[in-house]
Amino acid sequence: MTVLAEIADAVIQGDGPRVAPLTKQAIAAGIPPKEILDAGLIAGMTVIGDRFRVHEIFLPDVLLAAKAMYAGMDELKPLLLRDGIPSIGKVVIGSVKGDLHDIGKNLVGIMLKGAGFEVVDLGHDVAPERYVSAAREQGAAVIGMSALLTTTMPVMREVVEQVRAAGLAGQVRTVVGGAPVTEAFAREIGADAYGFDAGNAVDVVKGLLGRR
Amino acid sequence: MILELAAADVAPGRADVLAQIGIPEGAVVSAHIERLYAAASELFAEHVAPAGLLADIDVAEFAEVYRGEGRNEPRSPVGEILGRAEHLALFVVTLGEGISQALQRCFAAEDFALAYTLDAMASVAADGAADLAERRFDGMLRGRGWTTPDGAVLRYSPGYCGWDVTGQRKLFASLRPERIGLALTESCLMQPLKSVSGVLIAGPRTIHRFPPTYDFCDRCNARTCRDRLGALFAHEHA
């Protein structure tokens, strides 16, 4: 088994303590950081994502794998930055103003990072203007919004409207999700997409950015 | 009155927690997940500090609480059930701040799987505590001679089913849950987060039966109302 295959396997097993030294080993062997990322860490997470989609494994397994992947990313990130290698896309996420629930939003962030996206997590209780300013400042391609209360869902509409008002429509795409949110609601407020769960949110963001 | 709740009263069942994290009954659970479940159970037992309040309220007083700040949907289940209610009580239950802090620590340590499992456990437990408040109120009423045939108690909460979340302000003003360490944020969410508040409505079971055809139902993906009604009327399908 090559070291990249071993990295992927360790990610799949959720074995963070094995991922870090293997990543160091790959770096020491002169394998380009981007290749270690794509053929090692992300390859492992892709297998995890596929197994999750067909219900072969469950979300806690995915989260263990994500943590293992982060152990490798800690080693790789400085090198990727040094080489000026961009992530596959930057996503600003947050739970909307009035909402303090952030477990769903956290899961989306973890899954997006696992798929190779750069994630800017604004936390919870995020005002519409903060999403827009963060997307502009960070050069993000996507804004992801989460709401767990029907009463905070209208904030999503405000964000979509502010994205348009800021002249960012088409440049910054909006994705909504959360237990009470529906695809019909996403359409009604003019959001670009709706993610029904954290795994689906990754597919949706990939689709929006032509990364499928 | 203070609702006396012990940690054991709110400890959630394994099947419910696994279902909450998306593992169906009968599925093979990996050794990883077994370890996570054990670790989350330990954290839960260590940090849970359940508490609750319950207070009888008459229909007129509750109508004022329910009116809140005038932001409720024009038609809602509570608004329509109220006229047929026989007894009402405001309630709040919480698992305490310790669980929220333990969750934050897990996330900060990037222990995502443990955080997720503990969060699921706490969510099930908070709902379980609210179920317990329903049963205690039911028991209290029966102790006082409530004899309505096929009577049942069901809870409704601000933030759901057309009762605007700003209704929390009047509910808090009436119930004063600060006594058990609860606070309301500017956006009307409770802290600690793993808490449930609302009204317990007692009356003939059938008053609680409502179809999901209110205007706001179209915009809502949550199935909690259907699940609770399903449980209430499960005997009809048994």
Side-chain angles (χ1 to χ4, degrees):
Chain A
M1 194 186 275
T2 66
V3 68
L4 294 180
E6 278 192 73
I7 291 171
D9 181 65
V11 168
I12 293 163
Q13 302 304 324
D15 191 350
R18 193 155 67 98
V19 172
L22 282 168
T23 305
K24 280 183 188 164
Q25 187 185 325
I27 294 166
I31 301 172
K34 181 78 166 76
E35 196 178 334
I36 301 171
L37 177 67
D38 290 342
L41 299 174
I42 292 179
M45 284 305 292
T46 302
V47 171
I48 284 288
D50 291 344
R51 288 184 184 172
F52 178 61
R53 257 178 230 104
V54 297
H55 310 296
E56 212 174 277
I57 59 170
F58 304 105
L59 197 47
D61 298 302
V62 179
L63 298 174
L64 284 168
K67 188 179 180 187
M69 184 205 181
Y70 282 18
M73 278 305 288
D74 288 344
E75 304 296 332
L76 274 188
K77 205 164 185 180
L79 304 179
L80 293 167
L81 285 172
R82 181 201 65 194
D83 295 350
I85 294 168
S87 69
I88 61 171
K90 197 181 269 191
V91 184
V92 166
I93 62 169
S95 299
V96 296
K97 177 92 182 147
D99 221 315
L100 298 184
H101 301 91
D102 56 9
I103 185 89
K105 178 266 300 171
N106 288 349
L107 294 177
V108 169
I110 292 162
M111 303 282 260
L112 283 169
K113 282 186 196 172
F117 288 94
E118 193 174 343
V119 175
V120 180
D121 187 347
L122 301 178
H124 52 242
D125 200 15
V126 180
E129 55 275 15
R130 234 180 113 217
Y131 283 103
V132 179
S133 61
R136 196 198 297 272
E137 286 158 17
Q138 298 281 341
V142 177
I143 289 174
M145 294 165 265
S146 169
L148 203 78
L149 297 171
T150 50
T151 43
T152 56
M153 285 163 59
V155 179
M156 294 173 157
R157 184 192 300 273
E158 290 180 47
V159 177
V160 172
E161 286 169 357
Q162 291 204 15
V163 167
R164 285 196 193 124
L168 296 173
Q171 189 182 331
V172 177
R173 319 299 289 273
T174 49
V175 182
V176 295
V181 179
T182 62
E183 187 153 22
F185 175 76
R187 276 198 304 271
E188 182 194 317
I189 65 169
D192 291 300
Y194 157 72
F196 61 79
D197 65 17
N200 176 249
V202 174
D203 292 339
V204 162
V205 171
K206 280 183 175 174
L208 285 175
L209 302 183
R211 296 278 182 182
R212 269 195 186 127
Chain B
M1 64 174 278
I2 300 277
L3 268 179
E4 300 293 340
L5 300 172
D9 291 334
V10 300
R14 177 186 159 89
D16 292 333
V17 176
L18 293 181
Q20 181 79 10
I21 59 178
I23 302 177
E25 208 175 334
V28 177
V29 176
S30 69
H32 279 321
I33 292 177
E34 290 289 3
R35 281 196 292 274
L36 281 172
Y37 187 86
S41 298
E42 259 182 50
L43 279 176
F44 181 85
E46 188 181 338
H47 295 289
V48 71
L53 291 172
L54 195 148
D56 289 289
I57 187 167
D58 64 36
V59 172
E61 270 182 282
F62 177 69
E64 188 54 31
V65 170
Y66 181 68
R67 192 171 298 119
E69 298 177 358
R71 297 185 189 181
N72 296 337
E73 294 283 339
R75 278 189 65 236
S76 70
V78 173
E80 290 169 10
I81 290 166
L82 203 50
R84 290 174 288 156
E86 294 176 348
H87 300 278
L88 302 162
L90 298 180
F91 80 99
V92 63
V93 289
T94 181
L95 300 187
E97 184 58 28
I99 287 284
S100 299
Q101 289 175 356
L103 275 167
Q104 283 167 11
R105 283 194 295 273
C106 289
F107 269 116
E110 297 190 343
D111 221 335
F112 313 126
L114 181 58
Y116 177 62
T117 308
L118 180 61
D119 183 85
M121 201 168 270
S123 292
V124 174
D127 273 341
D131 290 345
L132 199 58
E134 282 178 354
R135 291 200 297 277
R136 293 263 175 98
F137 186 50
D138 188 296
M140 280 167 51
L141 291 176
R142 290 183 196 282
R144 292 181 204 157
W146 185 47
T147 55
T148 294
D150 205 27
V153 173
L154 200 65
R155 65 180 184 275
Y156 299 84
S157 296
Y160 295 91
C161 295
W163 186 0
D164 194 86
V165 74
T166 53
Q168 288 277 36
R169 293 198 184 106
K170 281 203 172 166
L171 192 150
F172 261 58
S174 179
L175 199 54
R176 292 184 296 108
E178 311 82 46
R179 290 179 283 166
I180 56 166
L182 274 158
L184 207 56
T185 67
E186 198 183 330
S187 56
C188 294
L189 286 181
M190 287 180 287
Q191 280 187 317
L193 205 51
K194 296 299 180 189
S195 306
V196 182
S197 66
V199 63
L200 302 170
I201 300 184
R205 189 173 303 260
T206 50
I207 69 171
H208 298 293
R209 197 195 295 273
F210 61 88
T213 52
Y214 294 90
D215 290 345
F216 51 84
C217 295
D218 285 343
R219 307 190 296 272
C220 176
N221 214 14
R223 301 292 302 165
T224 49
C225 62
R226 298 294 96 197
D227 293 344
R228 291 186 313 123
L229 261 60
L232 195 64
F233 294 101
H235 65 289
E236 291 181 358
H237 308 289

